Amino acid sequence: MALQDVCGLQEPPLFSQWTAPLSHFFMPENTSHLNGGWSHGEDCSSWMPRGGGMSPLEFYMPVAEYLTESPLRFGQTNLISSSTNLLTVDHLRPSLPSISLPTLTPCSISPGVPLPFTLSHGTTTLGFAFQGGVIAAADTRSSCKGLVACPSSPKILPIHSHLVGTTSGTSADCALWKRILARELRLYQLRHRRRLSTGGAAKLLSHMLHPFKGTELCVAATLCGWDGETGEDEVTERYANTQASEKKNINTQREASNSRSQSEVSSGATTQPITGDDKNAMSVASRDATKNYSSVVLSRVSGPRVVYVCSDGLCLQGKLFSVGSGSPYAYSILDSSVYWGMSVEEATLVAREAVYRATHMDAYSGNNVDLYHVTAKGWRRRQREDLKEEYYKEKERERKSVEERKTEETMMVK
Amino acid sequence: MALLDVSGYKHHSSSQFGFKQTHLLDRLNHYSFGTKSPEFAVPVGVDPSKFLKSCSGEDGVCIDLNHGTTTLAFKFRHGVIVAVDSRASAGKYIASQDVDKVIEINPYLLGTMSGSAADCQYWERLLAKECRLYKLRNKERISVSAASKLLCNMMLGYRGMGLSIGSMICGWDKQGPGLYYVDDNGTRLSGRMFSTGCGNSYAYGVVDSGYREDMTVEEAYELGRRGIAHATHRDAYSGGVVNLYHMQEDGWIKVCKEDVSELIHRYKKGMF
């Protein structure tokens, strides 16, 4: 199974339960895992696979009855509850039958988990790739229908040193899944001694979210990262060799762009395999025929990457994404100003402007703007900026230019 | 009554009739269709609002009255720029790529259309008729404010009955350049910049970003073109060509009619 490989699953003896049929988990006797001796507050940890002998991507599919319970009971401890209680009608709230709940949630796809209130997904996040790396920017307003729940929530969460993810959708879901993803990527890194690529991470996230399709889970994330190794691994060096021989013009371009953004890109081993092996181009020429396929595949290995993952199961790779209720306002600015060869300063300005315009027009976005820049050296975070200041600065600039124009005219008249 | 004055109703011809309410009977208002009492004409036995409510529920037919287009207009130093796309869609079918969404009411007034094409064309032609009548009666041109008010009152008369119009009335009158947004709910707003239709958010971003009070005329044209071009790029219900008008002190001029694909190609050249 490809997913097993991605997670570096070892021989069967270590993870014997993974190879058991999935229906195993739906058997009634397994519910003891969920309910045995736990207080209600610990239930959230049932979603996380426990350590020890369980395989890494095993999910505790909750008992069917669990899903039909009203979520209003989540916060209330009910230590007496055992598997049998779940099957009976809830005596505390006799007016709430299990499935046919009143239409609190007109947009509820599945009748399984009714929401206590309508969630709104208000935000503006964006991510785009250019020659100097990837810029990820987002506003910082967390809204709950009409209330600004938090004016300074971080919507860009770093996942590992070279990957950040922007979050949109339900804040709780996003934070949880980001942590799960970060853990899985760390495990991958420890097992394989290299970081998983952004595309791989996106695929992993999308597969992890797939079992929840049709539920009210709502996560729309843009993974922005820089792929490519620092040359520690001989495997990647070999790949880089073939790359050098096959796609020389791309390398010179990258070198040119590397030299241009010298301050950002590490002068370390990333460039060495490429430049050093120009001499070896002839020697590897004989290997080209066999390595053709790998060079085609691996010409995409290194560099900035932006992938959009959504809880519907969508996984899209692209150069530019904007997510959230404020995204249309940001899209038009990004469409007109983003191009591959832009400098880091330009890119930062464009990202800021896009978020600012979106917050100006969209009620659910606002407060501050967070900006992260990912390069081969890792991610760097810009100081959080208050957009209110930006608004007043712009008004001031307008006023000044109008005054200047007036004085110019009066001078010209004279 | 202000409406009475605007419509240029002459008092003496009402001698045969009685009092305040029946005054309006005399003028065979086009949209009263000869009704006995002053009300707006609606087919007998039909209750449009109830019918519409049944259409907006989850079960059954759902008529989604979206304004599928992008139009924008903004005021600046040298007048008003009006830019519209030209796509007419019927659900997911593109009915036409070459629709005229700006109605030239008179040489000093323009009206844009978004929403239901039929509604817009009918009601704005009606507005044009009323503006012409006003000019003939009062020997002076109608102000932008009054024209938008006329349209707004027509909309209020049929409120809740399923009209779908998002229109901007732009003109130049004694008070200078004027821009009003009128929609089917009866909203009437004066402002510096508006954009209507489902592509409006895309247009807002780029026009807000590039707007300067002291733009030159060429810059303003470019901004209007860009706004529509980027909106059509991202919105499925907008497309076709950009029709660009410039409202000046001595009337409006039609600036250009450019294909959006050409524009996007030009803007994106060398980007990726």
Side-chain angles (χ1 to χ4, degrees):
Chain A
M1 205 157 73
L3 206 50
Q4 277 182 332
D5 293 340
V6 161
C7 308
L9 204 50
Q10 299 302 324
E11 279 64 43
L14 203 53
F15 297 100
S16 55
Q17 296 194 30
W18 182 254
T19 55
L22 202 58
S23 58
H24 176 64
F25 296 115
F26 289 95
M27 306 281 264
E29 52 263 27
N30 245 10
T31 58
S32 56
H33 281 297
L34 287 176
N35 298 313
W38 291 4
S39 75
H40 211 86
E42 254 189 83
D43 260 359
C44 55
S45 64
S46 71
W47 292 99
M48 312 279 275
R50 291 192 297 192
M54 301 303 275
S55 85
L57 278 190
E58 188 180 278
F59 287 108
Y60 282 98
M61 298 308 286
V63 186
E65 288 79 7
Y66 190 70
L67 285 173
T68 59
E69 276 202 342
S70 163
L72 289 167
R73 290 190 59 211
F74 280 169
Q76 301 157 29
T77 52
N78 195 352
L79 293 164
I80 317 162
S81 75
S82 63
S83 54
T84 52
N85 262 11
L86 293 173
L87 296 167
T88 61
V89 174
D90 188 1
H91 294 293
L92 294 171
R93 288 171 211 280
S95 60
L96 293 175
S98 58
I99 291 182
S100 57
L101 273 155
T103 52
L104 295 166
T105 59
C107 53
S108 176
I109 303 164
S110 72
V113 184
L115 303 169
F117 42 78
T118 326
L119 301 176
S120 316
H121 310 310
T123 189
T124 309
T125 68
L126 59 95
F128 61 88
F130 67 110
Q131 56 84 18
V134 187
I135 296 278
D139 73 310
T140 60
R141 177 177 289 185
S142 269
S143 53
C144 176
K145 217 156 180 204
L147 167 74
V148 176
C150 175
S152 56
S153 54
K155 297 194 191 178
I156 309 184
L157 306 172
I159 297 175
H160 66 239
S161 61
H162 287 68
L163 181 65
V164 299
T166 70
T167 64
S168 166
T170 325
S171 314
D173 288 332
C174 288
L176 174 69
W177 284 102
K178 280 286 149 62
R179 279 183 71 97
I180 295 179
L181 183 67
R183 191 199 48 174
E184 293 304 326
L185 293 183
R186 179 71 183 140
L187 284 172
Y188 182 91
Q189 189 176 358
L190 289 169
R191 286 180 186 129
H192 295 259
R193 275 182 269 135
R194 68 178 180 93
R195 288 191 300 273
L196 186 56
S197 66
T198 315
K203 200 180 235 185
L204 188 59
L205 183 61
S206 131
H207 287 169
M208 288 199 286
L209 292 175
H210 183 74
F212 302 95
K213 193 176 163 92
T215 64
E216 297 288 348
L217 183 72
C218 182
V219 173
T222 316
L223 297 179
C224 312
W226 184 286
D227 299 338
E229 299 309 314
T230 52
E232 302 163 356
D233 199 347
E234 60 176 25
V235 174
T236 53
E237 270 188 42
R238 200 173 352 113
Y239 290 159
N241 288 352
T242 57
Q243 204 176 343
S245 55
E246 290 279 336
K247 310 272 178 175
K248 230 172 163 187
N249 48 353
I250 294 183
N251 287 338
T252 52
Q253 265 187 26
R254 199 174 294 123
E255 280 173 41
S257 68
N258 282 348
S259 58
R260 242 187 289 135
S261 56
Q262 197 60 47
S263 55
E264 305 297 331
V265 177
S266 72
S267 52
T270 331
T271 54
Q272 278 173 16
I274 300 171
T275 52
D277 283 318
D278 276 349
K279 289 176 269 185
N280 300 340
M282 297 312 289
S283 64
V284 300
S286 57
R287 285 191 281 157
D288 286 353
T290 52
K291 295 280 182 196
N292 266 346
Y293 73 95
S294 60
S295 65
V296 168
V297 166
L298 293 160
S299 59
R300 290 185 274 130
V301 162
S302 177
R305 192 92 29 207
V306 180
V307 188
Y308 170 68
V309 181
C310 152
S311 51
D312 293 338
L314 188 60
C315 182
L316 291 175
Q317 208 227 303
K319 293 190 188 77
L320 166 72
F321 286 104
S322 175
V323 189
S325 57
S327 65
Y329 306 102
Y331 261 130
S332 48
I333 297 177
L334 294 171
D335 276 343
S336 57
S337 313
V338 167
Y339 60 100
W340 181 260
M342 61 197 317
S343 69
V344 177
E345 292 76 31
E346 265 185 276
T348 318
L349 278 174
V350 168
R352 257 178 85 241
E353 176 78 6
V355 175
Y356 169 61
R357 293 293 162 198
T359 58
H360 186 53
M361 277 295 177
D362 180 36
Y364 294 113
S365 310
N367 298 104
N368 306 311
V369 58
D370 273 338
L371 215 142
Y372 280 68
H373 176 212
V374 186
T375 55
K377 276 202 284 197
W379 57 259
R380 215 166 37 100
R381 189 185 164 200
R382 223 178 106 102
Q383 191 70 25
R384 177 174 274 191
E385 283 183 71
D386 194 342
L387 290 172
K388 200 170 29 148
E389 304 297 323
E390 179 66 29
Y391 178 74
Y392 287 119
K393 263 186 240 160
E394 201 197 359
K395 287 288 155 205
E396 189 58 30
R397 261 178 277 150
E398 275 278 316
R399 199 183 54 80
K400 272 201 197 116
S401 70
V402 166
E403 273 184 26
E404 268 169 37
R405 196 198 347 122
K406 284 214 181 100
T407 53
E408 263 178 35
E409 281 179 354
T410 52
M411 276 169 58
M412 275 167 61
V413 165
K414 286 177 196 162
Chain B
M1 205 157 82
L3 198 54
L4 215 51
D5 295 331
V6 161
S7 333
Y9 176 66
K10 294 284 177 268
H11 196 80
H12 59 81
S13 59
S14 76
S15 55
Q16 46 193 306
F17 297 96
F19 303 92
K20 11 179 212 292
Q21 266 135 347
T22 51
H23 284 178
L24 291 173
L25 256 184
D26 177 56
R27 294 190 57 239
L28 279 173
N29 245 334
H30 188 99
Y31 48 94
S32 46
F33 296 106
T35 47
K36 299 265 184 305
S37 51
E39 63 193 30
F40 287 91
V42 169
V44 176
V46 170
D47 187 357
S49 24
K50 213 183 283 180
F51 168 69
L52 271 179
K53 246 180 238 148
S54 69
C55 292
S56 55
E58 291 90 32
D59 45 312
V61 178
C62 184
I63 296 184
D64 219 2
L65 299 173
N66 284 328
H67 300 183
T69 189
T70 312
T71 69
L72 69 90
F74 58 88
K75 275 198 276 202
F76 73 120
R77 261 183 88 204
H78 303 283
V80 189
I81 296 288
V82 179
V84 301
D85 75 312
S86 67
R87 175 175 289 186
S89 49
K92 55 189 177 188
Y93 167 69
I94 296 175
S96 166
Q97 290 272 58
D98 198 11
V99 173
D100 215 354
K101 297 191 188 179
V102 172
I103 179 168
E104 299 149 2
I105 297 173
N106 66 42
Y108 294 84
L109 260 186
L110 287 175
T112 67
M113 312 187 202
S114 75
S116 157
D119 285 340
C120 285
Q121 283 173 348
Y122 178 78
W123 289 101
E124 297 202 17
R125 266 183 76 92
L126 198 55
L127 176 67
K129 189 202 79 162
E130 292 298 326
C131 293
R132 177 74 182 139
L133 284 174
Y134 180 94
K135 177 149 189 261
L136 289 170
R137 287 177 183 132
N138 303 48
K139 294 205 197 107
E140 66 169 13
R141 282 201 304 272
I142 192 172
S143 66
V144 186
S145 170
S148 61
K149 196 87 179 234
L150 272 175
L151 184 62
C152 170
N153 287 335
M154 291 181 210
M155 292 302 107
L156 282 170
Y158 289 92
R159 191 183 156 133
M161 297 190 194
L163 286 184
S164 168
I165 296 178
S167 158
M168 295 183 293
I169 306 295
C170 328
W172 196 304
D173 57 18
K174 282 186 284 216
Q175 275 92 30
L179 175 59
Y180 285 83
Y181 168 72
V182 179
D183 88 355
D184 51 272
N185 293 322
T187 309
R188 175 176 164 265
L189 299 167
S190 166
R192 194 191 63 179
M193 187 236 161
F194 289 108
S195 174
T196 69
C198 54
N200 69 354
S201 35
Y202 303 102
Y204 271 127
V206 80
V207 176
D208 269 343
S209 176
Y211 181 87
R212 308 269 171 271
E213 175 65 38
D214 54 349
M215 279 189 291
T216 65
V217 172
E218 275 309 317
E219 280 172 358
Y221 290 168
E222 189 53 27
L223 194 61
R225 269 195 291 263
R226 260 188 187 265
I228 298 290
H230 284 292
T232 57
H233 182 55
R234 286 284 175 183
D235 177 35
Y237 295 105
S238 310
V241 299
V242 179
N243 283 312
L244 190 64
Y245 290 77
H246 179 194
M247 177 68 65
Q248 298 163 327
E249 193 161 359
D250 50 356
W252 54 261
I253 53 165
K254 179 152 189 186
V255 176
C256 73
K257 182 182 173 110
E258 285 195 43
D259 192 308
V260 289
S261 341
E262 305 270 318
L263 284 174
I264 286 288
H265 218 73
R266 213 191 313 153
Y267 297 147
K268 296 224 169 210
K269 208 177 354 183
M271 272 200 175
F272 282 114

